[in-house]
Amino acid sequence: MTRTPVNVTVTGAAGQIGYALLFRIASGHLLGPDVPVNLRLLEIPQGLKAAEGTAMELDDCAFPLLRGIEITDDPNVGFAGANVALLVGARPRTKGMERGDLLAANGGIFKPQGKAINDHAADDIKVLVVGNPANTNALIAQAAAPDVPAERFTAMTRLDHNRAISQLAAKTGAAVSDIKKLTIWGNHSATQYPDIFHAEIAGKNAAEVVDDEVWLADTFIPTVAKRGAAIIEARGASSAASAANAAIDHVHTWVNGTADGDWTSMGIPSDGSYGVPEGIISSFPVTTKDGKYEIVQGLDINEFSRARIDASVKELTEERDAVRELGLI
Ligand code: NAD
Ligand code: LMR
């Protein structure tokens, strides 16, 4: 049966994450090995030439699933008919820039992109924001798209989720595939909280297997939360292949579902669960099925976890208040 191609828009397509991402989308890793795709590459004018170069390379791969590539610097064109949008391009923090300046600069990107998604994307649009500060950029885009259901706007904490699984596997000697039900709570920032109290290692409670609260507090949590900075320090550039891989994982899981007995972490608009104020885009444990996600309910949150979730959520509410004051939401 011939399937209709899915339109996938990638912003920041000429950047380093874009370069690691586009070839995997075109080869079927985002949506599945039988789903053809049309790619829309959205860049700023200075990025168009490099995006054209990447498109030439995509052509040269002769990917059977790749049905078309369009390159543009106009969000109204880039998001026209989009079924999936990966918002990767963002304004990085530069020397001397205050947090308010960073939020304002990103508002100038994510607000018009949200409006273009509102006006031109397909009815089933799913949005993943990767560009930092991802959670609040997602909130800005979502606020600018009142006709799109709010839950379609998500922010990436899957890289943090994957990092946490990898650290836990290294500590315990377990296989990555034996680790389930790990959770990232809060913001994609150094305040995030990777929670192993509900995680399982080969069916056993991970916190009990580790049995080392000092390692948890002083090594595991800061290693995961500051991994992005450690990569920048080591590589001289922020994570790219692992970030692209996490973006692929996020959308693939959203579309194709979580495995029985497992869940994933996604930054999503809070419905008030676990005391997280409604509306902010915070990371939660979620299961997915048939292209929809649901927050895992009923988890016992101990004092150790509560304090850390609250700290990250406080940062998110401050970011929300800051963008509200700037008139961005
Ligand atoms: P990069 O600087 O290599 O590329 C960014 C690209 O975005 C550039 O080509 C730039 O021209 C383009 N761009 C800028 N403004 C744009 C706009 N308005 N429309 C379209 N394109 C635009 O950066 P990168 O390494 O690819 O990282 C991209 C973003 O992802 C950064 O904000 C980074 O901090 C973030 N990031 C997030 C995570 C996460 O886990 N959420 C992980 C790694 C990186
Ligand atoms: C990461 O987690 O690797 C990135 O968000 C770091 C960054 O600041 O780009």
Side-chain angles (χ1 to χ4, degrees):
M1 194 178 80
T2 317
R3 292 189 58 162
T4 311
V6 174
N7 297 324
V8 181
T9 302
V10 178
T11 77
Q16 46 153 7
I17 294 178
Y19 194 72
L21 186 57
L22 290 164
F23 296 86
R24 293 192 61 198
I25 299 173
S27 60
H29 290 93
L30 188 78
L31 299 167
D34 55 350
V35 184
V37 291
N38 286 317
L39 280 173
R40 305 270 165 72
L41 315 188
L42 181 64
E43 259 294 343
I44 49 177
Q46 307 89 289
L48 288 177
K49 191 147 191 289
E52 278 162 22
T54 304
M56 288 161 69
E57 285 203 73
L58 284 160
D59 283 342
D60 293 349
C61 294
F63 287 121
L65 292 172
L66 183 56
R67 296 298 154 80
I69 309 174
E70 199 171 334
I71 304 167
T72 180
D73 60 0
D74 180 351
N76 295 322
V77 175
F79 293 115
N83 305 106
V84 176
L86 303 173
L87 309 191
V88 179
R91 173 75 162 79
R93 191 176 200 140
T94 41
K95 217 172 164 202
M97 211 176 186
E98 298 298 331
R99 202 169 68 152
D101 302 333
L102 181 72
L103 292 170
N106 278 295
I109 296 173
F110 288 87
K111 195 171 175 180
Q113 288 185 355
K115 180 159 182 1
I117 288 170
N118 188 68
D119 295 348
H120 301 290
D123 287 347
D124 66 349
I125 180 73
K126 288 181 166 61
V127 182
L128 168 62
V129 177
V130 175
N132 282 321
N135 300 53
T136 298
N137 286 341
L139 181 66
I140 294 168
Q142 181 244 302
D147 302 333
V148 177
E151 73 268 14
R152 305 284 188 76
F153 285 83
T154 67
M156 191 164 93
T157 52
R158 184 63 175 264
L159 179 54
D160 311 297
H161 182 97
N162 290 345
R163 286 167 171 165
I165 288 178
S166 172
Q167 293 297 323
L168 191 55
K171 165 78 175 170
T172 59
V176 158
S177 53
D178 281 339
I179 299 180
K180 314 272 185 227
K181 299 185 178 175
L182 190 127
T183 305
I184 303 294
W185 298 92
N187 202 1
H188 171 67
S189 76
T191 68
Q192 67 176 270
Y193 171 50
D195 178 357
I196 69 164
F197 285 100
H198 305 284
E200 291 171 4
I201 302 178
K204 296 197 179 80
N205 180 273
E208 284 167 22
V209 172
V210 168
D211 191 25
D212 185 350
E213 208 162 286
V214 174
W215 175 80
L216 194 58
D218 296 350
T219 302
F220 174 73
I221 295 171
T223 300
V224 174
K226 295 182 190 161
R227 187 71 163 181
I231 302 279
I232 292 171
E233 176 66 26
R235 244 172 57 85
S238 64
S239 58
S242 57
N245 178 68
I248 296 275
D249 284 350
H250 176 114
V251 174
H252 190 275
T253 303
W254 188 357
V255 171
N256 293 299
T258 39
D260 284 345
D262 200 4
W263 64 61
T264 189
S265 304
M266 288 169 68
I268 56 171
S270 174
D271 63 357
S273 293
Y274 297 102
V276 179
E278 204 174 330
I280 62 166
I281 299 204
S282 186
S283 188
F284 284 96
V286 298
T287 54
T288 59
K289 196 178 174 202
D290 300 331
K292 295 197 165 70
Y293 58 78
E294 270 181 28
I295 297 176
V296 176
Q297 297 293 344
L299 300 177
D300 261 342
I301 305 297
N302 62 20
E303 263 177 53
F304 183 97
S305 298
R306 188 72 259 169
R308 287 166 174 81
I309 295 171
D310 288 351
S312 196
V313 164
K314 179 168 178 284
E315 182 182 53
L316 281 171
T317 54
E318 286 167 3
E319 287 184 15
R320 178 205 56 198
D321 293 347
V323 294
R324 196 176 269 162
E325 253 173 53
L326 290 164
L328 294 170
I329 60 169

